Every structure is written in C-alpha cells, then in structure tokens.
Amino acid sequence: MKKFLVLLLALALTLTFVGCTSTDNSDPSAPAGEVSTSLEGRYVGYSWQGESKGETLEDASQYIETILELDEKGIIKDAKMRFFVKKDGYWTTRQSGNAFVDVDFSVEPTFAVPGDDYKAGDSMFTIYTADMMSFYAVAVDNNGVAAFAIVDPITRYQYEMKFTTDFDFETAVGELTIGSGMSVPTIRTSGSGMVKPSEWDSLADKTIFNISPWSHVVNDVGVLAGITNESTAKELLEALGVEFDGNKPQPKSVEYGYFGLGGWTGNFSAIEESLIGQDATQLTSLVDWTNARYAGAINDKNQFGVDVQSGATRTVQNSIDGISGATVRISREATSYQRALVNAGIIDEADVIIGRF
C-alpha cells in the first residue's frame, strides 16, 4: 500500500512539474484549435556582388545587409539597410557620407579622354570617399575665385567649374555648357554610366541639368531643387552655400554634400522609411516581379538581369516616382530584403530573386 501511495505521489509531482514548465506560443485570442506563431523579432538578410557567378558572401567585396524588426503579426517596426564595400582592405559603407576634399585653385581643369582609352584630365579637387554618387563640392579662395565639382549621374564623370575674379555671375547656367569649357569633365568616377561618351562633341551644348532626360534627378529635390539652366551662376552657387557681396563670392572653405535624394544615405533612408508600418507577410519583395519588363529578365535560376528576353530590362529603377522610396536601381536591395523574410520564415529561399549587382 505504501509503495502504491509513493507511486501516486511521484506521478502527481511529475504532472505538476510538466504543467508548470510547458510553454504555449499560441495566440490566446486565436479561435479554438488554431495555433498562431508570433513573428516578433529581428531578422537579417544579405545580397552580394558575384552571387550569380557562384561567389560566396564571405568572399564578396560588396554586400547589402537588411535588418527588419517585426512585431508578432509581421508588421515592420523598424528597418535598416546598409551597403558595405571593401576599400583598400577595409570595410566601410557607401552611405557613410565621410569624405576628404581639398582644392588647388592654381589648377586649370582639363577634359578627360573618354572611351576605351580613358585618361583622367587635370582636376582642381582631391577627393577621397567611399562612393561618389550624387557628390558635389564647392569652395571660394581669398581672392574670390570659386571652384565647383559635381558628379553627373548620367555619365558618372566629375564636372568642374572654375569661376575667376572677372566672371559675370549673372551668366545663365545654360551657358555653362561642356562645349563652352565652363563645365569640364575631368574624372570618370564609375564605368557604369547610363551614357558612356567616346568623345565630348556630342555633348557640347549640354549642362549638368540636361545631359539626358533623366538628368531631372539632379534638381528635382535636394540642394539644387529649383536651379535650372535659366538660373544664374550666382543662384547656382548660392544654393550650394556660397555667399556674395554684390557680384563677388565671399571666401568659403571647401564644403561637400550630395544632391538629389542625398546619395546612398538619402536613398537607403527612403527605403527604410517606406518599409516601416508595412506588413512583411504581404510585402514579400521591394519589387513587383510580375511586371512583364522585369519578369522577362528572370532566368530559371531566379537570377535577374543575366538572361534577358526581348522587351525586358536589366535594370529595376524609377527615377521619377521611385521604387520603395528609392530612385536608384533596386534589384539587389530587393534580394537582401527577401533574405530577411526567409530568415523570418515568411518566404522560402526558392522565392528569392537574385538581383543584379
């Protein structure tokens, strides 16, 4: 009898222990018999250069990281996106915004030799930074000589203007053309420009505001918003922070920044802001891949932009309305976002479209 009572007591203690330590992750508000799993947590995803060629993340020299913070229902509470690049053996981000800029006013800027035999011209500016997208710099020396550099988003060349002490700053920006010698393309900052000039004569009558219909990104928003070819050179420099006493610009230490949305910082911030409050279980990509122009560029390995059908495009970009807030091309960012959703268990790796770096 005692043995029987001991066994009953042991069984009771075991049941009590199990009842106290078991966990129930179901939503108490869910209907009876239905279990709801919380999505609350932080999830990270990556895309990287060379992935479509078999390169691993560990060996990549560029990658994009997306960090999503979700609530229990999958609503995005916070989003972070960073573009990492390796420069001279060190990792930094494209959107760091840090730069070293120096100006030598004694230099007369000269034209770069474009095309296959590219050769840089003489530049007034020495610039060290992680990325030159949307970059500009301006300075005025003690004699009133002004120097301005801007990276054109269409050709990806750095254009320089040197305004001497006898320059008439009431001159219209439309007269500061490449052919006039006032807008001098000195350095090619990237080989991936939309327009890849082989000579400069075909762009002789162009300024930084009309090299292409897509040049609107220079002055739609940001520091140069409202400045056009009809503006004066004085208004252009004033928009960049230069002060004038009559027709003479006042001395100014070199200052740099990013026009338009604000370079990579502005574009990635716009993506992050567009994501907050979205339902990640519904927003399974930054890009609508059902769009025929995009769908025709996805191969049987789910790689975008590698094998492109007629009528399709290699680029996912909308510089006017933006895609997920950004005006830059965005397929690689979309991959990183989707990988965060894979980490959250919302989609499978088989659903991920590998964007073009």
Side-chain angles (χ1 to χ4, degrees):
M1 184 66 177
K2 286 184 178 180
K3 288 184 178 181
F4 179 70
L5 290 174
V6 169
L7 287 172
L8 283 177
L9 179 60
L11 179 60
L13 289 172
T14 301
L15 290 173
T16 301
F17 176 76
V18 171
C20 290
T21 58
S22 64
T23 57
D24 183 1
N25 292 326
S26 64
D27 184 348
S29 65
E34 182 178 317
V35 177
S36 175
T37 303
S38 173
L39 288 170
E40 185 172 12
R42 181 169 293 180
Y43 305 97
V44 184
Y46 296 95
S47 63
W48 59 93
Q49 187 179 52
E51 180 179 5
S52 63
K53 299 178 181 178
E55 187 170 321
T56 64
L57 173 60
E58 290 73 19
D59 294 330
S61 59
Q62 296 186 27
Y63 68 89
I64 295 174
E65 176 186 71
T66 298
I67 303 173
L68 300 178
E69 186 175 334
L70 308 182
D71 71 7
E72 67 278 2
K73 295 185 180 299
I75 304 301
I76 301 173
K77 296 164 56 179
D78 194 20
K80 298 295 181 189
M81 185 173 286
R82 296 181 292 181
F83 198 139
F84 287 90
V85 294
K86 185 179 283 188
K87 294 279 188 179
D88 300 322
Y90 296 94
W91 285 102
T92 185
T93 61
R94 275 190 166 182
Q95 67 265 46
S96 70
N98 297 322
F100 168 83
V101 185
D102 190 34
V103 184
D104 184 348
F105 289 92
S106 69
V107 174
E108 295 296 329
T110 62
F111 283 74
V113 176
D116 294 336
D117 298 321
Y118 165 76
K119 182 180 179 182
D122 296 326
S123 172
M124 296 181 286
F125 291 81
T126 300
I127 302 171
Y128 298 105
T129 188
D131 197 89
M132 294 288 285
M133 187 179 81
S134 303
F135 187 89
Y136 74 85
V138 65
V140 183
D141 73 5
N142 291 330
N143 297 317
V145 176
F148 171 46
I150 185 168
V151 177
D152 167 55
I154 309 303
T155 62
R156 301 292 184 91
Y157 274 79
Q158 177 177 304
Y159 291 76
E160 299 185 25
M161 301 180 190
K162 185 176 184 179
F163 302 97
T164 56
T165 55
D166 59 349
F167 182 80
D168 180 5
F169 286 95
E170 294 303 318
T171 302
V173 170
E175 295 183 35
L176 308 180
T177 61
I178 294 171
S180 74
M182 282 301 300
S183 294
V184 183
T186 58
I187 296 172
R188 186 173 66 192
T189 65
S190 170
S192 59
M194 180 185 298
V195 174
K196 298 178 175 63
S198 58
E199 38 71 34
W200 297 114
D201 288 345
S202 59
L203 298 175
D205 62 344
K206 303 298 184 182
T207 73
I208 57 172
F209 295 116
N210 66 354
I211 287 178
S212 153
W214 305 112
S215 295
H216 67 87
V217 298
V218 176
N219 58 347
D220 270 355
V221 297
V223 66
L224 292 175
I227 302 298
T228 68
N229 279 340
E230 285 68 48
S231 303
T232 65
K234 180 180 180 181
E235 290 170 331
L236 169 64
L237 292 180
E238 284 179 331
L240 299 168
V242 176
E243 296 181 352
F244 280 78
D245 181 3
N247 193 52
K248 184 177 181 180
Q250 299 303 290
K252 179 180 179 63
S253 298
V254 65
E255 183 175 310
Y256 68 87
Y258 301 87
F259 60 81
L261 275 184
W264 286 106
T265 299
N267 273 276
F268 274 29
S269 293
I271 294 173
E272 293 165 356
E273 290 172 10
S274 77
L275 290 176
I276 295 174
Q278 297 267 23
D279 185 345
T281 67
Q282 299 298 315
L283 185 69
T284 54
S285 178
L286 302 182
V287 177
D288 178 7
W289 293 113
T290 63
N291 184 315
R293 295 184 67 241
Y294 305 151
I298 301 172
N299 65 16
D300 57 3
K301 297 179 181 178
N302 267 11
Q303 298 168 335
F304 172 78
V306 177
D307 307 305
V308 181
Q309 297 177 5
S310 176
T313 178
R314 293 180 184 273
T315 301
V316 178
Q317 184 175 15
N318 186 331
S319 64
I320 297 175
D321 300 319
I323 298 176
S324 293
T327 57
V328 294
R329 57 191 179 95
I330 199 174
S331 66
R332 54 198 172 184
E333 288 78 4
T335 303
S336 177
Y337 171 77
Q338 284 194 303
R339 288 263 167 70
L341 299 188
V342 171
N343 193 5
I346 294 173
I347 63 173
D348 297 325
E349 177 63 27
D351 300 318
V352 175
I353 304 299
I354 300 173
R356 185 170 69 90
F357 247 86

